[in-house]
Amino acid sequence: MSGIYYKVKCKCGNEQRIFSHASAVVKCEKCNEPLAHPTGGKAIIHGEIIEELG
Ligand SMILES: [Zn+2]
């Protein structure tokens, strides 16, 4: 499966890498806020995408 990584900023200020096609809910490592939800394809990103990492 192809995909990239996003650097996503949570509203708490934490930044972490999230796979664009995450297959499980990704939560913020700091505040536990969900940052990505799987769709079977491209995940829905809830945080602010500040960078795309090839
Ligand atoms: Zn957070």
Side-chain angles (χ1 to χ4, degrees):
M1 180 165 49
S2 64
I4 61 167
Y5 283 88
Y6 296 129
K7 190 190 273 189
V8 176
K9 187 173 187 179
C10 178
K11 58 190 175 189
C12 77
N14 181 45
E15 295 175 7
Q16 67 189 64
R17 280 165 45 129
I18 295 175
F19 187 51
S20 63
H21 290 60
S23 56
V25 174
V26 179
K27 291 184 175 178
C28 174
E29 292 164 352
K30 271 194 175 175
C31 72
N32 223 32
E33 181 82 9
L35 293 180
H37 278 98
T39 64
K42 202 170 182 181
I44 298 169
I45 307 292
H46 297 290
E48 180 189 351
I49 297 170
I50 53 176
E51 198 177 346
E52 294 186 2
L53 310 161

